[in-house]
Amino acid sequence: MTLDDVFTTFKRPLNDKDKKLITQAWEMAEEAHRGQKRRSGDDYIQHCLATAKILASIGAEPKTVAAGLLHDVPEDTEVTLAQIEKKFGPEITLLVDGITKLSKIRLRGSKEEYFLENLRKMFLAMAADIRVVLIKLADRLHNMRTLEYNPPDKQKRIARETLEIFVPIANRLGIGEIKDELDDLTFKYLEPENYKKIYEHGAKQYKEKELYIEKAITEIKSTLKKEGISVNDIHGRVKRLHSFFRKLQRKDMDENRIYDLIAIRIIVPSVADCYETLGIIHKTYRPMVGRIKDYISLPKPNGYQSLHTTIFGPQGRIIEVQIRTQKMHDESEFGIAAHWMYAENEQRRWRDYFWPGKKKEVKKLDEKKIAWIRQLQQWQKEIGRDDDEFLEGLKIDFFKNHIFAFTPKGDIVDLPEDATPIDFAYSIHSEVGNGTTGAKADGKMVPLDYKINNGQVIEILTTKDKKTPNRDWLKFTRTSNAKSHIRRTLRKDDQI
Ligand code: MN
């Protein structure tokens, strides 16, 4: 893959400035990673290019793509974040730094819900800029595509992490294209036998279904033409493997009870055309009762819009028909990333979109922004926090009173703002708290009243001998957990 492959993948023509930016990012990444190899044997830069290409393919804007090229530079090469900042300025540096921090989040042995919850929170909290999440998703997608070159235990670990964390995130951001591919790839590694069965089963029937879809498309097309509907595009899709398998399990492994095995998508110019097309389809083919869904009037929580109906199509076979506009289609495939393609005044809109807090008053909320906020609300509901403060200024970082720090092993500790290493130590274990003698933040010694920053790795130095907290700690600890442990331990010592 070359840089040209990235350029030609962009959905919109690039201006010279954007091209120059991306070229410079590539130059820095190529030089920094030179000599490094992936497990596949490829030069490391191929991973950076693949990540950038995925970003361009979902319609991400040029700065995101540039940051995608640089995403592994600070962590894996000699080039520092400061050097990136010097060359590219604060915005791209912030994106790259965000990725570096996110890369510390790992799904370890624990599958407990509180841990998964913390991981999801973490993603939102760390990704004060949603573009960071897009880059992380693209990075993960390429890593999943090349997972076969890793040892089996790593394959399983990465695949499970992808299923628990990245697939839900892609889904909530409405990036269907990435979600589906990631989901199928996890299936391959987590349930290899079922994957093989479904894959082979599918392969046998695939040709036949393809031929049927072709015929059905031709017939539907000419029907719509007769009725005077101009169709932008009409195409078919066979259900994805993992989602097919899950549905089979729910339907007692009976394929005949799955009605959306074959779907035909009709893309028409306007919303009015969507409803008119639905009417014509129903007039021509008998619809199945109770299978009509109007996601245009009532979008899914992730913003998905479309009309769905199940009909007895040509030759009486059951097919699902999805009707939507081009914009709805792009947004369902590319999610939040697609907004860039539809922004009239892209610079301003992007700034408003990603940095809404920068402007005191938000004059006009566009429809999609509201959808995005709805998503966050939905997400917030799911993780069980219920306060209004995140709406203030419409900031993405609604966990702003939270700090997430890591243990050296990558576990996440959720702390209040201004928390100190003592709070951190007690939230790991009271014994660790009581035995604290010093602390390091990102490898550097810090005082015990140090205010921890979001995303820092905190290492607590303890002694085996001293197990008594210092009364002065009460002056700067923030968590009630730490305070009460300190008090309790001091009381006990007084009694002795
Ligand atoms: Mn990477």
Side-chain angles (χ1 to χ4, degrees), residues 44 47 71-72 139:
Y44 202 95
H47 168 64
H71 81 272
D72 279 327
D139 172 48

Side-chain angles (χ1 to χ4, degrees), residues 410-426:
D411 263 337
I412 301 155
V413 178
D414 181 356
L415 296 164
E417 216 166 30
D418 294 338
T420 64
I422 295 294
D423 294 299
F424 184 92
Y426 277 101

Side-chain angles (χ1 to χ4, degrees), residues 33 38 44 47-48 51 68 71-73 76 99 103 135-136 138-140 142-143:
H33 288 294
R38 298 273 290 174
Y44 202 95
H47 168 64
C48 313
T51 304
H71 81 272
D72 279 327
V73 165
D76 297 340
I99 294 297
S103 73
I135 299 168
K136 191 68 205 166
D139 172 48
R140 177 52 59 108
H142 184 249
N143 285 338

